[in-house]
Each structure stands twice: as C-alpha cells, then as structure tokens.
Amino acid sequence: MSRISYVLKRIGKMDFSRMRDTANMLHKKTGKPTIWLLADMARCAAKYNAGYMDYKIAEMYRLNDAQRKTVITRGISNEIVRRMNNKAYWHHFDDKTQFNTLFAKWVNRDWVKVDESLTAEALEAFLSGKERVIFKPLEGSSGQGIVKYEKAEWADLPLFRDQLLENGPAILEEIVVQHPEMARLCPTSVNTIRIATLLGDKKEGIVYAFLRIGNGRVMDNVDCGGMAARVDLESGKLLTVGADKQGNTFEKHPMTGTAIVGFQVPYFEEAKNMCLEAMRVVPQVRFVAWDVAITEKGPVFIEGNSFPSHAVPQFAAHYPDGIGILPEFRKFMDI
C-alpha cells in the first residue's frame, strides 16, 4: 500500500466527532487552539497510527517527533498482537472457563460455569460455605458485567439461578481475598498486577508490569475509574505516581492516603515466575498480559489477555521524559 493510500485509509476510519470532543477538552486543559489540536491529532493518526485516545492519554500534544515515535499507539499494539498471537488459540484466554481449566494450578480457586447445564443442586453445592461470590461474563473485558453477590442475595436459590442465567453465559467464582498490604492501597477492589510476557524473536520474558489500583469500585480496571502505577521489574516497588485514564495523578491514594511511589508489592518475584512459567503453556499466543492478584499465600491468576489493552502502558505520567514504552518492546522484537 502506498503512503498516500495508507493516509487516506486512516482518514476514512477517523471518528471526527470524538476527535472534536477530545480536542475541545484538551483546549481547555492546555490552552492550545482547538484547530491546531485537531490538525496535530490527524498528523499523529497518519504518521504514528495513533487514535484520539492515544493522543490524549500519552499527551502527544506535548511531545516532539522523537518522543512520539516511542509511544505504543493503538496501531502499533494491534500489529504486535497480529504478529505474535495466532488467533486460532485466543479462545484459551478469551473464554474464562477454558482459561480457568488450562491454568488451574495458578487460578487456585473454586468456580462454576453458569449456563443451562447448571443445576440447582450444583449451584447450591458451589455456594455452600461461601459468604460472597463474583459473577463474570464468559467473554468480555474492561470489567463489564462483573457483579459481586452477597450470601443474602441467594437466599431464594431458584430465583438466584434464574437471575444468573438471564445474564449468562458466565462463570461464578470464589472471591479472591487479597493480601492485607494490597488492601492497604484500596480495600474496595482486588488490586491486580498486569504483567506482560512476550516470546519474542530477539528475547523472551517480561516486557512490563503495572499495578492497577481501584478507586472505590469493585474493579481496579482503568476503564472503571481505577488507576495504575509502574512496577520496577527488579524490586517489585512502584516507580511512579498513580495515573488514571482522565489524566489525573496521585502520589497518595485518595481514599486511603497510602503512598503509591515506593510501595512494595508482596510476592512480586513469585508473581513474575508464575507468569514466566505460564507463558509457555500456549506458545502460539506469544504476547499475553496476565492479571495477577496477591493473596496472603502468594500470587494467583485472575485472567490472561490475548489482546492486551495498550492504554495502561502509555499513560503520560509514567514517562516524565516523554520516552514511552516502545523501546522496551524493541528489545524483544522488531517493530
């Protein structure tokens, strides 16, 4: 495809309404003219394959060309997944029942599939002795459809089963109880480490790790109002402030007052080793972002992502010098 054809194709896919809304918002934030922001956004789309959200989250409006080349934009992220992950094997990660079965020794908790085959007797047996459980749609991302249920809500078991089936197919899981130190950051959600592994052509191992921290809701996901901070791969300490998708930054957690920079993630070495072992289970999916919870007994998997979101690893607050995370990927592969 010629350069002109490529640019025309990119222009054809642009969401001009959202681009305009983003430009207006950034105008209020930066004082830069809206028309300049729109033009610059279009330039970044054509030159760096950046979407309007990339432009906002990575604060590309403040970066020079050399810095912009280091941002992992939507287009670059898609290219990494396309090259590294054989789509025929995504189902091992995208279907939660398959993931929990295949990676059972690291999931390490009780769960049951919610579909028409779930009998009242099987549901009752699963719920026995539990005070709360969590419902997760069989497929999905960004925390959509996830609900926490308390014991009182399944007092009428047939009614509860009907309610689950209406929202299925899904899985019902035992609640993960996080390490007290992790709860000290935010107790309302299980705060998970996103650890990305890559079986690259040049190198194999961990590309990055970020701790995702909740901010009052059940989920720690940044699409649900949560924040993220970068984890030092050697020490397991948080290197940066917390940052959310709206561009807010936090040196201390706004709910608990716990300091974010320098926070030590428990069992981080064990979490890394778990991911490094698990990345070889489905070698056809070479780039995986693992969501790891830390319990008092050690790390467990929440899920694995065969098409990782590129939002968290490009928050501008994590790269004060403007140099993004793409150079880290280039240690593993040519991109």
Side-chain angles (χ1 to χ4, degrees):
M1 183 184 294
S2 71
R3 182 65 184 170
I4 293 175
S5 298
Y6 171 78
V7 171
L8 290 174
K9 186 177 180 180
R10 289 291 300 142
I11 291 172
K13 290 184 176 181
M14 289 180 183
D15 187 329
F16 290 101
S17 176
R18 292 192 176 183
M19 283 179 64
R20 184 178 62 251
D21 291 344
T22 301
N24 287 334
M25 183 276 292
L26 292 177
H27 164 69
K28 293 176 182 177
K29 179 179 179 179
T30 68
K32 293 180 181 292
T34 301
I35 190 66
W36 182 90
L37 288 163
L38 280 169
D40 195 46
M41 221 179 286
R43 282 194 294 272
C44 286
K47 192 170 184 179
Y48 307 107
N49 216 342
Y52 67 90
M53 192 58 70
D54 298 327
Y55 189 82
K56 171 189 169 185
I57 290 175
E59 297 183 0
M60 296 182 78
Y61 50 84
R62 69 177 179 86
L63 304 181
N64 58 38
D65 283 344
Q67 292 168 324
R68 288 174 172 183
K69 288 178 181 177
T70 68
V71 174
I72 182 166
T73 63
R74 179 184 60 186
I76 293 172
S77 177
N78 290 354
E79 175 66 10
I80 292 170
V81 171
R82 187 190 67 79
R83 286 171 50 189
M84 293 291 106
N85 295 351
N86 185 331
K87 198 169 185 178
Y89 294 85
W90 287 13
H91 61 90
H92 292 298
F93 299 88
D94 299 347
D95 183 317
K96 290 180 174 58
T97 62
Q98 292 189 40
F99 180 85
N100 281 11
T101 301
L102 189 59
F103 298 94
K105 76 173 184 177
W106 299 298
V107 170
N108 197 27
R109 61 187 173 277
D110 197 13
W111 62 278
V112 66
K113 185 176 182 179
V114 176
D115 62 11
E116 291 295 339
S117 68
L118 177 63
T119 64
E121 293 76 19
L123 178 59
E124 184 176 22
F126 169 76
L127 294 171
S128 178
K130 296 179 175 64
E131 295 297 319
R132 58 188 66 84
V133 293
I134 195 158
F135 174 94
K136 298 179 180 179
L138 208 58
E139 297 184 1
S141 60
S142 301
Q144 294 181 357
I146 293 179
V147 182
K148 186 186 288 185
Y149 290 106
E150 304 287 337
K151 187 174 183 178
E153 296 177 88
W154 62 76
D156 185 333
L157 197 64
L159 182 64
F160 182 61
R161 178 180 177 273
D162 289 344
Q163 180 183 348
L164 295 176
L165 291 177
E166 282 179 10
N167 296 302
I171 60 172
L172 206 58
E173 282 190 335
E174 176 184 3
I175 289 285
V176 172
V177 179
Q178 68 183 337
H179 193 289
E181 189 65 5
M182 302 298 283
R184 191 168 66 84
L185 269 174
C186 179
T188 62
S189 62
V190 175
N191 306 301
T192 58
I193 320 164
R194 173 154 290 192
I195 300 177
T197 57
L198 183 56
L199 293 165
D201 302 315
K202 295 180 179 178
K203 181 180 172 182
E204 300 175 350
I206 295 172
V207 188
Y208 63 74
F210 286 84
L211 181 62
R212 305 188 306 170
I213 310 165
N215 197 6
R217 299 177 67 176
V218 172
M219 297 298 297
D220 63 349
N221 198 289
V222 296
D223 290 318
C224 297
M227 65 189 79
R230 192 166 187 180
V231 186
D232 177 58
L233 293 180
E234 295 301 319
S235 69
K237 291 184 178 181
L238 300 189
L239 292 169
T240 66
V241 296
D244 66 18
K245 212 168 183 178
Q246 287 67 49
N248 302 309
T249 58
F250 308 90
E251 292 186 4
K252 295 182 178 180
H253 195 282
M255 288 175 55
T256 63
T258 302
I260 293 174
V261 178
F263 179 88
Q264 177 67 59
V265 177
Y267 290 114
F268 186 66
E269 197 64 29
E270 290 83 353
K272 288 194 301 181
N273 291 336
M274 181 174 75
C275 294
L276 290 170
E277 186 177 353
M279 75 176 181
R280 302 191 183 281
V281 174
V282 187
Q284 297 85 356
V285 181
R286 299 164 65 187
F287 174 44
V288 179
W290 309 91
D291 290 339
V292 179
I294 305 297
T295 73
E296 284 195 275
K297 294 181 179 180
V300 297
F301 280 143
I302 299 298
E303 64 182 12
N305 300 274
S306 61
F307 202 122
S309 166
H310 65 290
V312 170
Q314 64 162 328
F315 285 168
H318 299 147
Y319 309 98
D321 62 357
I323 302 300
I325 203 167
L326 190 55
E328 297 303 311
F329 278 86
R330 287 182 172 141
K331 295 176 182 177
F332 290 79
M333 61 182 291
D334 291 319
I335 188 70

